[in-house]
Amino acid sequence: MELIKGEEVADSLKADISKEVRKLIDAGQRAPHLVAILVGNDGASHTYVGHKEKCCNECGFRSSVLKFDENISEEELLQEIEKLNNDNSVDGFIVQLPLPKHISEQKVTEAIDPKKDVDGFHPVNTGRMINGLPSYLPATPDGILELLKYYNIATAGKKCVVIGRSNIVGRPIANLLFQKGWDCTVTICHSRTANLKEEVAQADIIIAALGIAQFVTADMVKEGAVVIDVGITRIPSDKTKSGWKLLGDVKFDEVAPKCSYITPVPGGVGPMTIISLMKNTLKAAKKEIYG
Ligand code: NAD
């Protein structure tokens, strides 16, 4: 069994991105600029945006955060988005989710210019992705692909079972893995799937993204399978300083001995997500997708 080390892969990609940024600057271009919009006081959102700022600095990007009170109206927020759409000093921007209930996340997502949609959530980008056209890929699926690539894990002709069909993980990763170049035969399981255990037990590659801690047990995993655990569930713990610990969707201790490769939680898929955002911002700065 080989442990897939997300931190190591993320560091290697970060080094590649920094080199690219240096080349751009040496060629007289300004540093890529990522803006994050943060609405309200959600603690987790502030933490995520803080990580993104730190990563931008490490990659040599310029990063800005626009903070708004949780009472900002939908219309005002849409106006701010329009300003960023038209601001030539900004290559890409994200609106940190979740948003307060009075603001439609769908409207906000669709208001972002697809050329600057470095989260890859705009329907134009998801549509292009589904059609196999160049697009900004959503972060978590792209991070999973980078892990498979880094470890040279064979995918062509393999049976892949994705558990979960969310717009940000299950649906896009399933779609990407059957595209040319990856060439898996993909099954998507979800909360209404009959015989889920039997489906998963046939998989050469399992992507667990349902958000139920330790759902995948050893009896569901074929000998030699590759297991990618996307799930993150925070549970209270008296053994850690913080008072909580993270669990994945896979019962790691009993599943790991059966696998050829497995991602731990934390330290597997998690560190990759932020790197994909950096990759997309660099692509935006280089105008690689839309010219
Ligand atoms: P979601 O709640 O939007 O979707 C979960 C999916 O799982 C749904 O499509 C549902 O049909 C399916 N599901 C629910 N119960 C099921 C069951 N019993 N059997 C089979 N399928 C079932 O979640 P999400 O946003 O896709 O996130 C999934 C997990 O991944 C969460 O734990 C989340 O915290 C984590 N996550 C991690 C990262 C990362 O960077 N590592 C990024 C995004 C999400």
Side-chain angles (χ1 to χ4, degrees):
M1 182 277 290
E2 188 166 353
L3 197 64
I4 294 180
K5 298 185 184 113
E7 299 281 2
E8 184 183 308
V9 185
D11 283 346
S12 150
L13 290 173
K14 222 187 288 178
D16 292 346
I17 293 169
S18 306
K19 270 188 219 149
E20 284 283 312
V21 172
R22 224 162 296 137
K23 270 195 223 158
L24 285 185
I25 291 171
D26 288 347
Q29 206 176 314
R30 61 165 172 74
H33 184 194
L34 174 69
V35 176
I37 291 186
L38 192 50
V39 180
N41 295 314
D42 181 69
S45 292
H46 277 256
T47 307
Y48 294 143
V49 169
H51 290 324
K52 287 167 188 172
E53 277 192 285
K54 182 169 172 273
C55 198
C56 277
N57 292 335
E58 288 167 357
C59 291
F61 290 5
R62 178 177 164 205
S63 107
S64 313
V65 182
L66 299 181
K67 292 183 183 159
F68 297 103
D69 188 84
E70 65 183 351
N71 294 321
I72 186 172
S73 69
E74 186 179 271
E75 200 188 326
E76 280 171 301
L77 185 59
L78 292 173
Q79 281 167 5
E80 294 296 335
I81 288 172
E82 196 49 27
K83 276 190 218 161
L84 292 175
N85 284 341
N86 295 315
D87 184 341
N88 289 333
S89 76
V90 174
D91 296 300
F93 64 99
I94 60 157
V95 179
Q96 186 65 44
L97 302 178
L99 290 170
K101 286 201 172 59
H102 65 278
I103 300 176
S104 156
E105 291 187 353
Q106 191 60 32
K107 264 194 201 169
V108 164
T109 302
E110 292 189 25
I112 298 172
D113 182 341
K115 293 186 181 107
K116 295 192 177 185
D117 167 42
V118 285
D119 259 340
F121 293 158
H122 192 288
V124 167
N125 279 312
T126 50
R128 288 176 66 96
M129 177 196 72
I130 285 169
N131 287 341
L133 296 169
S135 67
Y136 299 118
L137 297 183
T140 307
D142 184 51
I144 294 170
L145 297 182
E146 288 288 2
L147 292 176
L148 296 173
K149 213 189 305 176
Y150 189 87
Y151 283 88
N152 280 320
I153 293 171
T155 53
K158 302 290 180 192
K159 181 169 171 58
C160 173
V161 173
V162 177
I163 317 175
R165 57 178 165 184
S166 74
N167 284 347
I168 62 165
V169 190
R171 207 176 285 239
I173 189 62
N175 190 281
L176 289 162
L177 281 171
F178 68 65
Q179 292 194 14
K180 279 209 161 63
W182 298 99
D183 301 307
C184 285
T185 302
V186 181
T187 300
I188 306 178
C189 292
H190 47 79
S191 49
R192 305 295 298 273
T193 298
N195 305 323
L196 181 140
K197 271 193 178 198
E198 288 79 353
E199 294 287 353
V200 178
Q202 291 176 40
D204 302 306
I205 301 172
I206 299 169
I207 314 271
L210 69 159
I212 300 180
Q214 307 201 313
F215 179 88
V216 177
T217 47
D219 57 325
M220 296 161 77
V221 177
K222 188 164 91 174
E223 205 64 52
V226 175
V227 174
I228 306 290
D229 188 353
V230 183
I232 303 176
T233 305
R234 201 187 261 218
I235 59 151
S237 166
D238 50 17
K239 293 198 180 97
T240 61
K241 248 190 193 170
S242 60
W244 48 264
K245 66 172 185 172
L246 301 181
L247 287 179
D249 285 351
V250 176
K251 215 166 195 177
F252 184 89
D253 290 347
E254 63 174 57
V255 170
K258 293 185 84 175
C259 299
S260 53
Y261 293 90
I262 186 167
T263 58
V265 175
V269 176
M272 297 301 297
T273 301
I274 205 159
I275 299 299
S276 302
L277 181 64
M278 301 297 128
K279 276 174 61 190
N280 282 344
T281 305
L282 181 61
K283 282 184 184 158
K286 291 168 81 177
K287 304 202 183 318
E288 268 182 23
I289 309 283
Y290 291 98

